[in-house]
Each structure stands twice: as C-alpha cells, then as structure tokens.
Amino acid sequence: SKMTVKAVKMPCTSANVYTKVPDGGWGWTVAFAFFVVEALTYGIIKSFGVFFNDLMESFDETNSRISWIISICVFVQTFTAPLSTVLSNRFGHRLVVMAGGLLVSAGMVIASFARSVVDMYITIGVVSGLGYCLSFLPTVTILSQYFDKRRSLVTAVASTGECFAVFSFAPAITALKEQIGWRYSMLCVGVLQLGITVCGSLLRPIVIREQEEVKAQPPEESTETKYMLENEQTCTSIESIDSGVDITTSPSNVPGKTKAEPKSEEPKQHGQNPVDNNNTPPEPKTKLLDFSVMRDYSFICYAFFGLFATLGFFAPSLYIIPLSRSLGIGKDHSAYILSAMAIAEVFGRIFAGWVLNKKPIRKIYIELICVVLLSVALVAFPFASGFWGLMICSVYFGFMLGTVAGTHIPLLAEDDVVGIERMSSAAGVYVFIQSLAGLAGPPLAGVLVDTTKNYSSAFYSCAAGMVLGAMFLALVRPCKTGLCHHHQQQQQQQQQVVEESTAGPPPELPDDFIDMDIGKAEHSGKGSDSV
C-alpha cells in the first residue's frame, strides 16, 4: 500500500499521520533539530570549562566549588527525566522542548548577572539543568519515532552536534571573552540557546495508523439465489421456529453474511469507511508514565548497564589533562590529546550508526562488543607513557565512546529492550537511574585519586564500572527470550487456570432440545406437502 500523509488537528499543533513509519519525510527536519539541540545543550555543558578560571577569580572560590555548577546541572538534567516523560505525554514533545529552551536561556542569561557561586548553583544548576532535560530527552524520543530502518544511523549522525559544538564554541567563547568579558559572553550564550525553542517548534507529532483494506462484498441477491438453489437440491434447510436457534445453510447464518440493519448499510452506500463511524469506541488514554517497564527483566538489566557504564564516561575527559601533566606533557600538547579524543568520538558515532543500520543484525550484541572494547580502553590508559601513548589511547577511547554514547538511549526502542511503544517512559526511567551514577561517579573517582595519589586509580574504577555494565548488558537478550521466558509462561498458565476456575461450567441444555425443533420442522414440512 502506498504511504499517505495527512494532517489532523491537535491541541496547539498538527500531527503528521502516516500509514507506516516514514523513515524520512519530516523526520529529516526533526533530525536537524536534534543536531542543533545537541549542540546547544551538551555542547555548551562540555564547553563551560572556559569560564572556570574567570568564575574562580570573580567569586574567589576553589575549583571544586565551581565544578559543582556543572555537577548540579547534569544531576538535575538526568534526575528529572521522568518529569520530562510525563510532560511530553501530556502536552506533546513540541511544547515541552520549547519550554525547556526558554528555561535554558533564562538560566544562562540570569547567571551572567550572578554575584556569588550560589547564584550559579540555582540559575545554571537548577533552572538550566531542568531546561536541558526538557529539551534533550523529548527530541531524541520523537526522532526515534520518525525512523525505523535508518533509526540507528540517523540518530548517531545527528548526535554529533555535541562534538562539533565543542570544536566551535570553546574557541569562539574564549575569543569573545577577550573582547567583551565573561559576563557578556555568557549573556550571548544564553541568547544563542533560544535556538532550542525554534528547534522545538519543528517537532511535529507523528501518528502511525495502519491502513485498513476493505474487501469488496459480492451482491447479496446472488448469494441468496445461490443458497436457494442449494436448498432445493439438498433439502437440508432446518429452521427452528420457537427455540430461537437456527441450524441452517442459509446465508443468514453463515459467518460474515449476516444481514445488516439499514443504519449499518449507510456507510457502504455512501462509500464511507466503517472505521469513521461515530459508534467507534474511543482510543485508550496514553499513560503519562508507564511504570510497567520496571517489571520487564530485560529493561532492568539494561538500566543497570546504564548505571554502571555511566561511571566510565567521564574519567578521561576530566583526568586526561592532569594525567598527561603528571607524565611531563605540556599544556598545549595535553589540549591536543583532548581535541583528538573529541574528533575520534565523531567518527565513532557515525560508524556505530552505520553498522547498526545493517540488516539483519542483533544490535544489542554489537553494543555489547563496543562496551567491552571501551573497557579495554579505560584499562589501557594507566599503561600509556609519553605523548603518543596517551594520544593513541585517547583516540581509541574517543572512537569507542562514540559508538556507545550515541546509541545507548536509541537502543531502548529495539524489541530486545522495551520497543518503540514504551520508549518514552523507558527513556525517562533509564536516564533517571543514570543520574545516580552521574552524581556519585566524579566524587568517587576524586576520593580514589586523593587516597592513592595516582590518577590511574580513577581510570581503574571507571573500567570496573564499565565491566559490570557489560555483564548486565549481556543479560538483556537472554532475559527477553530465554531465562525468564519459561517463568512468564508458567505465570500465564496459572492465570488461565484461575480464570477458567472462576468462570464456572457452561450452561447445560436438555437432551431433547434439538430433537424437539427437528420434529417441529418435519411436522411443518409434511403439512405443506399435504396442502
């Protein structure tokens, strides 16, 4: 069937209605919007370090107290993920992302007038952090709904906006600070983030409705004639007059041939689709937050994977420069190492999307291989020596990080985890669980570094978390089909037994019930013959 698109009115917006997932169309516009949202959210967060020295000097605070600005921001962003899901299901993705863009911009603009680091905690940490959550999660969710076969590739490529933003924003903001100062530079960044609101306006809702095929019915007169001829030849028509039970071969009792009342024939006469009848039962209401995903063993394992894997995402970006400086590498060369890691991450995201787009392929296993290789990269850092050793490890880590970071949330839409129908609720719960590791991970690594006086301990701790995450990821597929399948079958069988026991035995009919009707029919037949 040919794909059709039409617009239907919805509150404050219009939805694209498709007969199947378009894998393109307006989805390309949504993909571009996601690219820009990535750049203006995670790109700004990763580039915020250019303000650290200015904030330390202006507020006379330590590096650790200034770093809590981003820590609070990231924690609020991930911790409020369920709220983002509820609001998206209630008001739609478009309005939520537009509101998030306003919060992000307002928090950054007000922060440019802050007089203490506590003001920064509230403006950037809480206000902008909530805005980041309302902007990012609904965008990636609706993008996954517009694509099916190309979902992995499109999402991976669009997510590179974060990497390109790090390249462009960091030097641009640094040059801007030298001209107008850090406060006006931060004000300009806040105004620029209003672009999130513009991108949110492009997120049209999508509705998938299967096209129903209406089979042409043969004329009813020819059907009646057919059965009349058959009855004259076989004389097998037996009709019950009193009991209300018909045992006959006439078309009135053949399934699908029941005579309809005049009201039900109106749609056929006017060529209308019976689905559009006013008597159609209303569609079930969408749950604001579907907690049934917490009963899915495969999702639980995947959530634990995200919890432990998050511990390994931050270490190199935070500690690669201190580690390189401890090995006697200069500041400029250390910055080159970090830039090479970001470039490799771009290629890793694109490569992962290209591989996962191949058919047939079990995507969860490809993700598992990438996580295992990412664990190897974390273990390799402490053994690196010199500039080129760290450069090789950084490029390798950046590439593997891109393969995991750009695909772990879209993989929730796969049937091996929860599927596209429950992705919105699953993404909110999943990111919420990740927030616990995001908040506890950096302090834990800092405690290990302070205790051991060695930056290698931070990489070892992150590698241990990544290995645990790989173990839980390996259990996702078995929990979906193997280990827990037998247990679910037993539960279904027990439920059927309970339902059958509560339903009770069917009503018994008298033995002579049909015989009486047959006798009446024969008697009436003889009377007609005598006449």
Side-chain angles (χ1 to χ4, degrees):
S1 60
K2 189 175 180 181
M3 183 179 67
T4 58
V5 185
K6 64 179 181 178
V8 297
K9 296 297 182 181
M10 294 184 69
C12 304
T13 184
S14 60
N16 287 336
V17 181
Y18 295 88
T19 57
K20 63 179 181 179
V21 179
D23 259 328
W26 191 257
W28 297 117
T29 305
V30 177
F32 172 76
F34 178 60
F35 179 89
V36 177
V37 169
E38 273 269 0
L40 297 179
T41 53
Y42 280 102
I44 295 297
I45 291 175
K46 289 188 174 181
S47 304
F48 192 78
V50 299
F51 292 108
F52 267 36
N53 291 332
D54 301 289
L55 297 178
M56 291 171 60
E57 294 176 1
S58 298
F59 300 143
D60 193 20
E61 295 287 353
T62 61
N63 193 359
S64 61
R65 286 180 59 86
I66 298 299
S67 63
W68 272 104
I69 298 174
I70 295 301
S71 297
I72 295 174
C73 178
V74 174
F75 174 73
V76 172
Q77 176 189 0
T78 52
F79 188 80
T80 55
L83 175 63
S84 174
T85 300
V86 170
L87 294 178
S88 298
N89 291 334
R90 177 62 180 87
F91 301 104
H93 297 80
R94 173 183 286 181
L95 292 179
V96 173
V97 174
M98 293 177 68
L102 292 177
L103 287 176
V104 170
S105 178
M108 191 66 70
V109 169
I110 297 174
S112 63
F113 300 98
R115 296 301 175 185
S116 66
V117 69
V118 177
D119 296 339
M120 289 281 188
Y121 292 162
I122 298 174
T123 54
I124 296 180
V126 178
V127 178
S128 292
L130 179 60
Y132 287 136
C133 177
L134 299 182
S135 303
F136 171 77
L137 199 57
T139 308
V140 69
T141 301
I142 195 172
L143 177 62
S144 299
Q145 296 174 0
Y146 269 95
F147 291 89
D148 182 18
K149 297 179 181 179
R150 302 173 179 172
R151 181 186 300 143
S152 300
L153 179 60
V154 172
T155 306
V157 173
S159 66
T160 58
E162 162 190 342
C163 304
F164 285 105
V166 175
F167 300 146
S168 57
F169 287 163
I173 295 174
T174 301
L176 192 62
K177 285 194 308 176
E178 296 177 356
Q179 300 296 326
I180 60 178
W182 72 268
R183 290 188 180 274
Y184 287 107
S185 299
M186 190 174 290
L187 179 64
C188 293
V189 171
V191 174
L192 180 64
Q193 288 180 315
L194 281 175
I196 298 175
T197 304
V198 178
C199 294
S201 64
L202 301 176
L203 304 181
R204 290 182 182 174
I206 179 173
V207 178
I208 306 297
R209 291 179 181 172
E210 296 182 359
Q211 187 174 5
E212 296 185 359
E213 298 181 359
V214 181
K215 296 183 179 180
Q217 300 290 344
E220 196 160 341
E221 291 125 354
S222 61
T223 307
E224 291 282 354
T225 304
K226 172 185 175 183
Y227 281 97
M228 289 172 65
L229 292 174
E230 179 183 352
N231 294 337
E232 290 179 359
Q233 294 174 0
T234 61
C235 298
T236 55
S237 179
I238 303 174
E239 295 186 357
S240 173
I241 300 174
D242 298 329
S243 64
V245 177
D246 295 338
I247 304 176
T248 178
T249 56
S250 67
S252 61
N253 290 325
V254 176
K257 304 294 182 182
T258 305
K259 294 181 179 180
E261 295 180 0
K263 291 183 179 180
S264 62
E265 292 179 356
E266 290 180 1
K268 295 182 180 179
Q269 295 173 358
H270 294 82
Q272 297 175 355
N273 192 342
V275 177
D276 296 331
N277 196 338
N278 294 330
N279 295 330
T280 303
E283 297 181 357
K285 294 183 178 180
T286 304
K287 294 182 179 179
L288 297 181
L289 187 60
D290 188 3
F291 284 103
S292 65
V293 295
M294 297 300 296
R295 297 194 299 267
D296 195 331
Y297 296 118
S298 60
F299 173 75
I300 293 174
C301 291
Y302 198 82
F304 275 110
F305 150 70
L307 176 68
F308 290 108
T310 305
L311 296 175
F313 289 162
F314 66 88
S317 59
L318 290 179
Y319 293 105
I320 187 62
I321 292 181
L323 178 63
S324 61
R325 294 301 305 276
S326 66
L327 297 177
I329 301 175
K331 292 182 179 180
D332 295 337
H333 289 78
S334 300
Y336 294 154
I337 294 175
L338 192 60
S339 299
M341 183 188 300
I343 295 173
E345 185 178 345
V346 174
F347 289 99
R349 289 173 182 262
I350 297 175
F351 175 78
W354 176 75
V355 171
L356 295 179
N357 196 51
K358 296 295 181 181
K359 297 287 185 179
I361 193 172
R362 185 64 65 184
K363 298 180 181 180
I364 200 74
Y365 292 151
I366 300 299
E367 185 81 357
L368 177 60
I369 294 173
C370 294
V371 172
V372 172
L373 295 177
L374 185 60
S375 304
V376 175
L378 288 169
V379 175
F381 269 105
F383 296 96
S385 60
F387 172 77
W388 289 109
L390 283 179
M391 176 66 76
I392 294 174
C393 289
S394 297
V395 171
Y396 175 50
F397 174 83
F399 184 85
M400 299 312 305
L401 178 64
T403 61
V404 177
T407 57
H408 68 108
I409 293 181
L411 274 182
L412 290 168
E414 299 299 323
D415 293 333
D416 285 338
V417 188
V418 295
I420 188 64
E421 294 81 6
R422 296 189 296 169
M423 182 191 174
S424 180
S425 297
V429 178
Y430 175 76
V431 176
F432 169 78
I433 294 175
Q434 274 190 304
S435 68
L436 303 178
L439 184 65
L444 176 61
V447 170
L448 293 176
V449 171
D450 293 338
T451 303
T452 60
K453 306 300 181 182
N454 190 350
Y455 289 105
S456 299
S457 58
F459 291 89
Y460 285 136
S461 65
C462 293
M466 193 65 68
V467 170
L468 287 175
M471 294 173 60
F472 281 103
L473 183 60
L475 295 175
V476 172
R477 176 66 180 169
C479 283
K480 195 70 174 182
T481 59
L483 295 179
C484 303
H485 185 65
H486 180 66
H487 179 66
Q488 291 178 354
Q489 285 184 342
Q490 289 182 346
Q491 289 182 343
Q492 292 177 357
Q493 291 177 357
Q494 293 177 358
Q495 185 176 2
Q496 290 179 357
V497 171
V498 173
E499 290 178 355
E500 292 177 358
S501 62
T502 55
E508 296 182 357
L509 297 176
D511 295 338
D512 58 347
F513 183 73
I514 301 298
D515 296 338
M516 294 173 60
D517 294 332
I518 294 176
K520 291 180 180 180
E522 291 177 350
H523 180 72
S524 61
K526 292 179 180 179
S528 61
D529 293 338
S530 63
V531 175

